[in-house]
Amino acid sequence: MGEPELKPMPEDWDSALAIVAHPDDMEYGASAAVARWTAQGKTVSYLLVTRGEAGIDTMAPEETIRVRAAEQRAACDAVGVESLEYLDHPDGTIHDVMQLRRDVAAAVRRHRPDVVLTGSPRDFFPGGMYNMADHRVVGYAVLDGVRDAANRWVFTDLTGPDGEVLEPWSGVRFTALGGSTEPTHAVDVTDSIDAGVASLRAHQAYLAALDWHPDPEEMIRSFATQDAERFGGRLAIAFEVIGLAE
């Protein structure tokens, strides 16, 4: 007996906040979905927990920060994302989970999104590759931080950039985890996959340092084709959706 069909991800919302660990994390499939949504007129904002300074073995962290910031900006431009922010947690060794939860809750209260996107906190990726620590820590912190953001008695001292008190936000309809081994929903990326591929190609220096890395188009189309098997044959990117009342 085969795996169950993936449900279409709801798209009756206006804004999403993507919170991931590193530059490039959104570009491994999820950005193709983002391109679809921005083309529909939705607003998607990115918040990166680190600046990816430990991501290029042949480049010093200070230079890597500069290079990867430019590449991430180009990746965002490829899929229609204007807002790009960073939290400056340490790449490779994200460890202060309580501070990260505070940061997530503050961002959710400030952006007030309908939907939150993040990476999977599960131990493995589809296909069996072990998920790295930063991804796992961030995934769980985002799930917890979304709940924290809705509770007025948790992190009561959060303020915005101008010192304003950040009021609780309980308007997040669901959180969607990309790259999960237990996907529940999918997004048709037939018309937006090229933009998703372009966003991954934007990470030129990062990809050049990985001699094992497949061609971005080959990789993203492979993901979309695999997910299509459970989505009526349409090129798709799958997500595990948490908290959606259906």
Side-chain angles (χ1 to χ4, degrees):
M1 185 175 179
E3 295 181 287
E5 287 287 297
L6 297 167
K7 302 175 184 178
M9 186 183 291
E11 294 185 324
D12 55 340
W13 48 268
D14 296 319
S15 65
L17 175 62
I19 308 173
V20 293
H22 313 107
D24 81 78
D25 282 356
M26 285 296 294
E27 282 68 63
Y28 284 92
S31 63
V34 170
R36 171 186 169 93
W37 295 327
T38 58
Q40 294 172 344
K42 303 182 193 304
T43 298
V44 182
S45 302
Y46 281 14
L47 177 65
L48 276 56
V49 174
T50 80
R51 293 183 182 267
E53 66 272 13
I56 301 179
D57 182 68
T58 56
M59 189 179 293
E62 296 79 8
E63 178 68 3
T64 299
I65 288 173
R66 184 188 68 78
V67 169
R68 299 201 75 185
E71 292 185 344
Q72 184 61 58
R73 181 64 264 168
C76 287
D77 291 344
V79 295
V81 170
E82 295 183 5
S83 176
L84 171 62
E85 303 172 4
Y86 296 87
L87 290 177
D88 291 320
H89 285 254
D91 183 17
T93 58
I94 300 172
H95 60 279
D96 192 339
V97 177
M98 192 57 65
Q99 182 59 50
L100 182 52
R101 279 175 54 187
R102 285 179 58 88
D103 291 340
V104 169
V108 170
R109 290 179 182 178
R110 181 163 49 86
H111 283 272
R112 305 173 78 80
D114 304 315
V115 172
V116 171
L117 310 171
T118 192
S120 173
R122 298 192 178 278
D123 289 342
F124 293 89
F125 286 122
M129 180 182 290
Y130 186 56
N131 198 0
M132 72 167 295
D134 282 357
H135 297 157
R136 290 181 278 119
V137 170
V138 170
Y140 280 122
V142 170
L143 289 170
D144 291 334
V146 168
R147 179 177 290 178
D148 296 334
N151 189 334
R152 71 174 57 255
W153 307 119
V154 174
F155 302 139
T156 58
D157 59 340
L158 293 178
T159 57
D162 297 323
E164 72 278 16
V165 174
L166 293 174
E167 295 295 329
W169 178 246
S170 58
V172 176
R173 288 184 54 197
F174 59 86
T175 301
L177 314 178
S180 174
T181 52
E182 299 188 24
T184 57
H185 293 69
V187 179
D188 186 338
V189 296
T190 303
D191 296 329
S192 58
I193 192 168
D194 288 342
V197 171
S199 72
L200 181 55
R201 284 198 192 282
H203 294 278
Q204 295 180 9
Y206 175 72
L207 297 180
L210 303 174
D211 56 9
W212 56 266
H213 200 284
D215 176 77
E217 181 159 10
E218 175 187 336
M219 189 176 212
I220 300 305
R221 285 192 177 275
S222 174
F223 293 160
T225 300
Q226 291 171 19
D227 291 334
E229 295 176 2
R230 298 174 58 188
F231 200 59
R234 294 167 288 172
L235 290 176
I237 294 298
F239 294 85
E240 180 181 358
V241 172
I242 305 292
L244 178 64
E246 290 187 314

